[in-house]
Amino acid sequence: MLQVSTVPELRAALQRMPRPVGLVPTMGAVHEGHLSLVRQARADCATVVATIFVNPTQFGEAADLVRYPRPIEKDLALLEGEGVDLVFTPSVDEMYKPGFTTVVHLDGPALGFEGEARPGHFDGVATVVAKLLLQSLPDSAYFGRKDAQQVAVVRRLVIDLDIPVTIAVMPTVREHDGLAISSRNAALSEEQRLAAPAFFLALSAMRDRYRSGMQDAAKLEEGCRALLAREPLFEAVDYVAVVDEQTFAPWTGGGPCLLVAAVRMGDVRLIDNAVLD
Ligand code: PAF
């Protein structure tokens, strides 16, 4: 596995590598969710590029950015173990050169939910994803469905900016008890970790209700809130909503939809979703 840290090195390396190229963007702290993206990219593409960049512009609080785990040696070993050909590990200065001022801003799918809870977050995500796509010009780029709003933002971004790439979305990878794998899970106490799967169970119960014919968004949201309220360690429910998968507008029937939710356990905010199909 070749490691490069500058854009010219990335472009030169890619010129020597066969197409199609698959890109797996990460912020490191690589887990099974990321590895499932790499495995799909490996199956689809002749060259797999992964990026590790803890993007400062998508963090709200400086403290979260400082606390973000950076186990670089372990990450590199995991990516190499899955057959990644090239890993791009730029510095903050490489990505945001002096005088940097361009921001990719979306309304539409970036509004509400995570966009409201984390002001500026999707500007940071959209800007860095646009940069990574333009730096590497992959044929396909891989994202996890767990961050469903991010997926909707990235899909809109590549349409709006005519970036010629296929966005591949992989299912959420879960622990044995259903908890969606996330770097945030490590911050849960033992007690919180034991309670956390109630989140997945509430979403799954509503998905089952939808499948058995109960397709009223307000009732599904209410049912989900009622189940979440049963777990005292969910100190707050930030949102529960049935949304259109592409636009993140309220679902009004017809077309693919998702039940999305965010709950707080102490300092940890968990997000998850269920595909209603
Ligand atoms: O999902 C993530 O890890 C990040 O938001 C991404 C897409 C790598 C952009 O920094």
Side-chain angles (χ1 to χ4, degrees):
M1 182 174 76
L2 182 63
Q3 182 181 355
V4 295
S5 301
T6 69
V7 177
E9 283 169 345
L10 173 70
R11 291 197 168 131
L14 278 169
Q15 280 207 331
R16 299 190 299 269
M17 293 183 168
R19 298 200 83 91
V21 170
L23 176 75
V24 180
T26 84
M27 296 208 300
V30 170
H31 53 58
E32 268 304 312
H34 299 115
L35 296 180
S36 78
L37 306 181
V38 170
R39 286 180 200 125
Q40 189 62 48
R42 186 69 284 165
D44 295 345
C45 301
T47 297
V48 179
V49 186
T51 67
I52 300 177
F53 178 62
V54 183
N55 174 33
T57 66
Q58 69 187 75
F59 285 81
E61 307 215 351
D64 289 345
L65 174 62
V66 173
R67 267 203 307 263
Y68 201 84
R70 291 167 171 81
I72 183 73
E73 294 308 324
K74 189 173 160 219
D75 286 349
L76 292 173
L78 286 169
L79 295 173
E80 184 158 30
E82 292 298 337
V84 167
D85 300 294
L86 176 62
V87 63
F88 180 45
T89 53
S91 64
V92 173
D93 288 346
E94 179 67 15
M95 290 297 273
Y96 299 110
K97 301 226 161 56
F100 188 93
T101 188
T102 303
V103 173
V104 179
H105 171 81
L106 291 84
D107 290 323
L111 296 177
F113 312 108
E114 293 309 297
E116 189 175 323
R118 308 173 66 188
H121 170 68
F122 284 126
D123 283 1
V125 169
T127 304
V128 82
V129 169
K131 283 176 65 70
L132 292 168
L133 291 174
L134 294 170
Q135 288 161 350
S136 57
L137 294 174
D139 297 278
S140 306
Y142 295 78
F143 295 85
R145 172 160 279 132
K146 174 174 171 293
D147 294 311
Q149 195 172 6
Q150 169 170 281
V151 166
V153 163
V154 169
R155 281 187 159 144
R156 188 71 251 168
L157 155 82
V158 301
I159 294 170
D160 289 354
L161 298 185
D162 303 307
I163 302 179
V165 62
T166 300
I167 301 301
V169 181
M170 300 306 296
T172 302
V173 180
R174 299 184 179 277
E175 300 284 3
H176 62 95
D177 54 10
L179 178 65
I181 292 185
S182 161
S183 53
R184 297 176 192 185
N185 298 352
L188 295 172
S189 69
E190 212 172 306
E191 203 191 0
Q192 287 169 333
R193 175 63 190 82
L194 282 172
F199 190 20
F200 163 71
L201 293 176
L203 292 167
S204 305
M206 290 308 112
R207 188 202 50 216
D208 294 346
R209 223 177 265 184
Y210 178 91
R211 284 181 178 164
S212 63
M214 215 279 273
Q215 302 191 349
D216 176 322
K219 288 210 174 92
L220 290 166
E221 290 165 8
E222 198 186 300
C224 188
R225 279 187 183 276
L227 289 177
L228 293 173
R230 286 194 201 162
E231 175 45 69
L233 292 186
F234 294 154
E235 289 156 38
V237 176
D238 278 5
Y239 57 80
V240 174
V242 181
V243 296
D244 178 287
E245 187 184 1
Q246 307 282 337
T247 62
F248 262 68
W251 184 67
T252 51
C257 63
L258 297 173
L259 176 61
V260 296
V263 298
R264 286 178 196 266
M265 302 183 93
D267 290 342
V268 186
R269 201 162 158 278
L270 299 178
I271 64 168
D272 203 347
N273 62 80
V275 180
L276 303 183
D277 55 6

